[in-house]
Amino acid sequence: MDNAGIAGIIREVGEYIQVDEGLSFRAKAYDRAAETIESLAEPLTETYARGGLVALLEIKGIGRGLGDALEEIITSGVSSLHEELKRALPIDLPALNSVQGLGPQKIRALYKELKVRNLEDLEKAAVGGKIRVLTGFGEKSEEKILRGVEFLKRGAGRMLLGDALPWGRSLEKELLKLKGVRKATLAGSARRRRETVGDLDMLVVADEAKPIMDYFIAMPDVEEILANGETKSAVRLKNGLQVDLRVVPAESYGAALNYFTGSRDHNIALRQIAQDKGLKLNEYGLFRGDVAIAGFTEEGIYAALELEFVPPELRENSGEVELARESGLPQLVGYSDLCGDLQVQTSWTDGVHSIDKMADAAMALGLEYIVVTDHTKRLAMMGGLDEKKIRLQMKEIDAVNARLVAAGKKFRVLKGSECDILKDGSLDLPDDVLAELDVVGVSIHSYFDLPRDKQTARVIKAITNPHADIFFHPTARKINARPACDFDMVAVLDAAAQAGTVMEVDAFPDRLDLSAEHIRMCVSRGVKIAIDSDAHDKAHFSVLEYGIAQARRGWARKEDVINAWPVEKMLSMLKGAQSYGK
Ligand code: DGT
Ligand code: CA
Ligand code: CA
Ligand code: ZN
C-alpha cells in the first residue's frame, strides 16, 4: 500500500474516534499522523522493510499505538482498530463526510442526537427540519446539508474518468493477450473522455466469441455478472465500475466502434446524414440496400458519409457534424503538444516531493519547464508561503536551475505562486513579491458560496490585478464533491480578455476545471488557456492527459494553449514584451 492509502486509513480511524469520543487527544494524534504520513518522502513500506517498527517510531508524531497500527497496515493491509471502530459505530462515515459542510464533529452530533447513520437518514432529518434545532446547526446549515446531499445524489454512480480509464486500458491489454483476439478497444464515454463515466464499453474483434466471454466473466476483479450472452456480456467490478463487452466481426468493427463510442446524439445526426444519402447506418455497417459500403473502420464510415473524421472528444452533436461536412473542424491541441506545466506544488507546502524531484519527473515526461506554484500564507494548514519563505524558495530555484545548466540540461524551473484570493478579491502576497515571480497563479480556496454578484466582483478584482497571470482552477469545483462557485462567467471572461489573464484547465481528475463548455467560451472569445497538472507528487504529471482531453472537448487548438507554445513566447505573452527574458 502506498503512503496515501495508509494515511487514508489512519485519518479515518481518527475520524471514527472523533465521532465516538469527540475531539480527544487520541483523535487529534491520528489526524496529525495522517498528515505527516502524506508528507513523507519515503514510502512507509520501504521504511518498514529497512528498519521495522523501530524505524516507524522514529517518525515525528508516531508513538507506540500508532506505530503498531502502521505495522499492521503495512504487513496485512488492514487495521484491526479500524475494523473494530467500523463495527462499533454503524455509520457510513465516508459518505457522510463527503457531504459539503459535514465533518466528524457534526456527524457525531447528528449520530448522537438524531441517529443519523447514512445519507438517507441525513436527508430525512434535513427534510423533516430536525437538524436546524440542534446546537451548532441552524436553518442555513440544514439547507446547506440538503443541497450537499442532492449534489451527491446527482453524481452518484458515475466514476471519475481518472479512476475508470486506467481500468479500461489494462482491460484492453489483458484482452489483447488472449488467443484469437485481433482488436480490443474502449468505446463509450471513456473514449470521448467525458469527465465521469457511467460504465465502460469494450469492443473486441476475435475469431471466436466464447473464450472471450468465459475469460471476461471469470476475471478476478469481477464482483457480479450482470449479463452473459453469446456476443455480449456485462460485469460489475469490485470497485463498483460496470463494464459492457461486445465481440463483433471484423467487418463491423468500425461501425460498432462508431456506434458504441456515441454520443447518442452524434449517432443520431450521422444516421440522418446516411438516410439523406439513401444509406442505412447501424452498428453492423453502412449499407446501400443490402450491400455494405463501409464498416471495417471508423475512418471508412466518415469518408463514405463525406464527413471529415471527427475526433471522439468532439462527438456530442454540438456543431461538430455541421463543420465536418465542410471540412471545417478545428485542429485540436494534441496529446503530446505540452512543453511545460504551470501549476506544480512541492514539499515547500503540501506537495510530497522537492523542487529537484518534481523537475526530474517532468523532464522524464518530455516537458521543458515547470512553474513552481506553492500555496501562500493564508493556507496556513498547508504551510502556505509568506514573503520571507517564498524569497528563500526563489533562491532554491536559482540553485536548481544552476545545477540543471551545469548538467547540460535544457530544462528550466520557473518561479511562481498559487496566490490565494482573499475574500475581498485582493491577493495574499504583496506586490513587490508578486513582481519578482515569473508566473502568478491566483485561486480561490475559501468563501466558495458567496452570492453571485459578490463572487463575480471578487474574481474580477483578483484576475485583473496587474500581477495576476493565470486564474487557477477557476470555479473551484470538485466533481461529485463540491459544486462550482457561482459567478458570471461571461463577465469574468470579458475581464480576462481585457486584462490578458489566462484561464486554467486544472487537469486533476476530480477538478477538470474549467469544464468543456467554459473552455469553449474561452476559445470563442480569444481568452487563452493553460493546461496544468496541479501535481502534488511526482507521479501526478500523468494527469496532464486528462486536462488535454478536457481542452479538446472544449475545442481548444494549440494556439489557444499557452503551455503548448515555446517557453519564451509563453512568458512574453504573460508579462508583455518589455519584461521578456526577465
Ligand atoms: P455513460 O456510460 O453514461 O458514461 O455514457 P455512454 O455514452 O458511454 O453511454 P452508454 O454506455 O449507455 O452507451 C454507449 C454508446 O452506445 C453511447 O454513447 C451511444 C450508443 N447508444 C446507446 N444507446 C443508444 C441509443 O439509444 N441510440 C443511439 N443512437 N445510440 C445509443
Ligand atoms: Ca458507457
Ligand atoms: Ca454501456
Ligand atoms: Zn489550489
Side-chain angles (χ1 to χ4, degrees), residues 47-169:
T47 314
Y48 184 72
R50 183 166 50 73
L53 180 59
V54 179
L56 297 177
L57 293 175
E58 275 165 12
I59 299 166
K60 200 181 91 207
I62 307 295
R64 192 69 215 207
L66 265 156
D68 288 342
L70 287 178
E71 181 174 40
E72 194 187 0
I73 296 169
I74 291 164
T75 53
S76 75
V78 290
S79 146
S80 45
L81 175 59
H82 186 220
E83 301 303 319
E84 205 176 291
L85 284 162
K86 280 201 276 192
R87 265 197 306 279
L89 288 167
I91 59 169
D92 188 351
L93 187 62
L96 291 172
N97 242 335
S98 65
V99 176
Q100 221 205 338
L102 281 194
Q105 211 50 30
K106 289 198 163 158
I107 293 169
R108 170 181 161 82
L110 291 164
Y111 175 61
K112 301 261 166 196
E113 307 284 334
L114 301 173
K115 301 267 166 299
V116 167
R117 294 160 183 235
N118 51 39
L119 291 180
E120 292 85 78
D121 294 350
L122 181 67
E123 188 176 19
K124 261 193 224 136
V127 170
K130 296 205 172 106
I131 294 176
R132 64 183 72 183
V133 296
L134 299 183
T135 26
F137 295 82
E139 209 165 318
K140 255 183 126 176
S141 73
E142 187 179 75
E143 267 168 35
K144 195 171 167 190
I145 287 171
L146 200 53
R147 276 206 306 276
V149 173
E150 274 159 16
F151 178 76
L152 288 178
K153 274 168 58 184
R154 271 202 303 279
R158 298 193 64 85
M159 188 178 274
L160 295 179
L161 181 67
D163 292 328
L165 190 58
W167 282 94
R169 283 186 172 148

Side-chain angles (χ1 to χ4, degrees), residues 199-201 242 244 246:
D199 68 3
L200 292 181
D201 303 277
Q242 188 185 317
D244 292 351
R246 292 175 185 80

Side-chain angles (χ1 to χ4, degrees), residues 343 345 375 418 443-445 472-473 506 511 534:
Q343 195 196 153
Q345 267 75 238
H375 289 294
E418 175 170 8
S443 61
I444 292 179
H445 297 101
F472 282 170
H473 50 72
D506 187 311
R511 284 202 186 261
D534 198 353

Side-chain angles (χ1 to χ4, degrees), residues 322-334:
E322 291 77 0
L323 287 179
R325 267 185 149 144
E326 310 154 8
S327 298
L329 287 174
Q331 183 72 40
L332 301 179
V333 60

